[in-house]
Amino acid sequence: MDFIILHLGLDLTAIVFAVIILAIAGFIRGYSGFGFSAITATSLSLFLLPKEIIPIILFLKILASIHMLAKSWQQINCVIFNRNYSRSSNITGNHDILFPV
């Protein structure tokens, strides 16, 4: 907590306001699937510089999307992907090693 206060120069009121903004933006992203960056960037720009906001948004979007990776990876149709990859590839060899079925 001291790092946030010292590095960004925020007081406790601004930190609470930022957490509320992030919670609202996260709820809207969960409900509609988009809008997190727009809401967060415009709202946090009231008391932070854009060079401080963009890394925060990037980190939080990556963190929020990591949980979808395992489920998405299981839903990839590797048979079609392998067939299309081998047609367009100049690389020789077994492509099933790269993309198992």
Side-chain angles (χ1 to χ4, degrees), residues 11-21:
D11 60 347
L12 187 59
T13 307
I15 293 172
V16 170
F17 185 64
V19 169
I20 292 170
I21 289 170

Side-chain angles (χ1 to χ4, degrees), residues 4 6 10 15-17 23 33 35 38-39 44 47 49 60 63 68 73 80 83 87-88 92:
I4 296 171
L6 292 175
L10 298 177
I15 293 172
V16 170
F17 185 64
I39 293 169
L44 290 181
F47 51 89
L49 296 173
L60 291 174
L63 191 65
M68 296 186 295
W73 191 260
I80 293 173
R83 185 176 61 223
R87 286 182 190 165
S88 64
T92 59

Side-chain angles (χ1 to χ4, degrees), residues 82 85-87 89-100:
N82 281 335
Y85 179 75
S86 63
R87 286 182 190 165
S89 176
N90 292 329
I91 301 172
T92 59
N94 187 358
H95 300 293
D96 293 336
I97 293 172
L98 297 174
F99 307 105

